[in-house]
Structure formats: C-alpha cells, structure tokens
Amino acid sequence: MAPIMMEVIEWFDQTGTGIVHRYPEQGSGDIKMGAQLIVRENQAAVFFRDGQALDVLTPGRHTLSTQNLPILTRLLSLPWGFTSPFRAEVYFVNLKVFTNMRWGTRDPVAFKDSQLGLIRLRAFGTFTMRITQPLLFVNSLVGTQGSYTTDQIEDYLRDVIVARLNDFLGETVQSLLDLPKQYDEMAAALKTRLVDEFRKYGAELVDFYVNRITPPEEVERMIDERSGMGAVGDLDRFLKFKAAKAMGDAAQGGGGLGNGAAAGVGVGVGAGLGMMMPGMLARSLGPEPAAAAAPAAAVVTCPGCQSPVAADSRFCPRCGRQLAATARCARCQAELPGGARFCSTCGQAVPGS
C-alpha cells in the first residue's frame, strides 16, 4: 500500500488577475483531516464541507478538520467506488486592490445636447476595486467555478457603469462643450452612485476615473468648424486679408511664367503688384473711410439782435425783424426780384427802374 501523505494547501496568483481560486480546481475533494491550509496576508480562504461554508479563514496556517481520516476513509468509501462521501473544498479569495480595470461604451449612447442637438457619445475610463466580503462574493458571483478572474467581472461591471453614466448625463450635463472641465466632478458623482452596486456583491469601488468622452467624427468636424469661425472673428476682414496674401504670393512668384519674354512680363506684373501692396493692405485692413461732409449752409447776421440766421430767411427767428425788403408789383402784388424792370407775372413796368 502506498503511503498516504498529509496535504498542504496554498495558492499563488502568478497572473495578477486572479480573484478567486478553488482547491481542488476540478470538482470537490476528499481533503484529509489534519490538512494544513496556508493563507497569506493578501488572501482570505472560505472553507466548505459537505456543500456548506463553515468559516472564512484569515491569514496564517490552519489545520482543517474533516471526516476524512486517511486510512478509515478508504474503507468507508468502498461502497462509493473508493470515492469519499465526505467532500470539502477551499476557495482562496485575493484581497488586493485590482488596478487598471477599464470601462467604456461598446456602442455610442444618445445624448441631447443643448447646443448641438441629439448626438451620440463614447465614454472611456478606468477603475480599481477589491473584495471586502469573501463569502458573499463567492456565493453571489463565483458559485462553483474553479477560478474567477478580473476579465470575467470586468464585463459585468462595465455594463453597470455605462448604465449609471447614461442617467448622469441625462440629468446633469447640458452640453458636450462643457464636459472636459467636469470630468473630476463627474467621476466623483458616478462613484457615489456605483458604491451600492459593488457593495451588494461583497466588493468595494476604490477609485473611479473618466478619461475621455468623445462624439463621432462628423460631430468633431462640426465642432472644429465652429471653433475656426470663432477664431476668424470678422469674416469680411479675414477674406480681405486672404485676398491680399494671395496677391502678395503672386507678386513674389512672378505669376509662374517660365519662358524669356513671358517671364519678363511676369516679373513686371509681380513688381507692380509688389509696389501696390502697401496701399492695398492699408485700404483693406484699415477702417472704412468716413462719408464726405455736406457743405455748410450760408448764414447772415440779423441787424437787430446780431444772431446768425440762414441766408434765405426773410425774418429773424429770435427777434422777428425783417431781414430784406421785398418789392411787389403795383398791379398784381407779385414779388419782384431785385433789379427787376418789369413784372414777370403781368408785365407791368416797375416805377423807378
């Protein structure tokens, strides 16, 4: 008969992504009474016997108490094909902080922007987590799996985070243009909403970060065009500047003519444009010329009050004095201009003319 060796049970995570590891990994085992269980500082161990969790073991060396006595178990297991009916397993739970876990939207999410209308957004970030209640975590998420890694839980948590992100964007964010300055506040608010989602599975959300929120390419181009228009400012002055720059390039290049006579003409045109450029730029970029001032109206001085009065006035508006004597026709009483010899209305001769 081969000697029966006592067991030493321990687990080393070589990948850094293992959260839970079961011993034995396949099925349940007939762990012998007196087996030594080694639990490290960053671990906890959940001991199951006969399908029930009996204890959560803390760091240290533990002696397991089962009903599997090395020699007696072989005799008792004879009716079951030498398979012991006293089953036991140990679940090692990694308690370290798991970093560099990523979340993001698989598909763009709809968002009603106050300035851009209905657009679709993609969001990405990172988070860190750790296990705080090993027994709850094993019973609620791991079950009877032989191992459980961050890749398996990351997919589920990603969907939970995106769902809470959609709620937050719809309730608090007005425009995509305001998002970059709100990343820290958004991360803190989302972490508060996600704490209970992690806690109900025996986990803790340690850190949560929003790295970027981006719209589709067509929306990015629209934002770039809007920014470009804001940078241009006065479109009329910008177009004048572009036209002047184009003429300056033509003056320096001589019009691109290559053969002898044509090149001479091109150089001449370029030189002429070069001499004209300063004045053209001054007129194009300078202020618009003021409208020509209207000629000043003629005035005369009232002989009574010495006030200025328009030259075509017959009376002074201040003192009422008549400014010029008016001759009239003796027959028809029509006004006669100075020096008139006959009335232009009835032809009557003017006396004394």
Side-chain angles (χ1 to χ4, degrees), residues 13-59:
D13 177 26
Q14 303 296 337
T15 64
T17 61
I19 301 179
V20 174
H21 178 80
R22 187 184 66 188
Y23 177 87
E25 190 168 350
Q26 300 294 331
S28 59
D30 54 352
I31 299 175
K32 305 299 185 292
M33 180 178 290
Q36 300 298 298
L37 175 66
I38 309 300
V39 182
R40 287 170 171 76
E41 285 288 346
N42 63 322
Q43 296 175 342
V46 183
F47 178 59
F48 282 79
R49 190 179 70 186
D50 299 330
Q52 293 183 337
L54 297 185
D55 200 1
V56 177
L57 305 176
T58 57

Side-chain angles (χ1 to χ4, degrees), residues 310-352:
D312 57 350
S313 300
R314 297 176 60 189
F315 295 91
C316 175
R318 293 181 63 86
C319 65
R321 182 168 178 168
Q322 187 175 2
L323 300 178
T326 304
R328 293 181 178 277
C329 176
R331 178 186 292 177
C332 66
Q333 299 299 313
E335 292 186 359
L336 301 176
R341 299 177 64 186
F342 295 93
C343 177
S344 60
T345 300
C346 64
Q348 175 70 27
V350 177

Side-chain angles (χ1 to χ4, degrees), residues 19-28 48 89-93 137-153:
I19 301 179
V20 174
H21 178 80
R22 187 184 66 188
Y23 177 87
E25 190 168 350
Q26 300 294 331
S28 59
F48 282 79
E89 58 265 358
V90 176
Y91 287 83
F92 288 93
V93 181
F137 186 81
V138 169
N139 285 334
S140 59
L141 289 181
V142 180
T144 59
Q145 297 180 72
S147 64
Y148 197 78
T149 66
T150 56
D151 292 337
Q152 293 170 270
I153 194 174

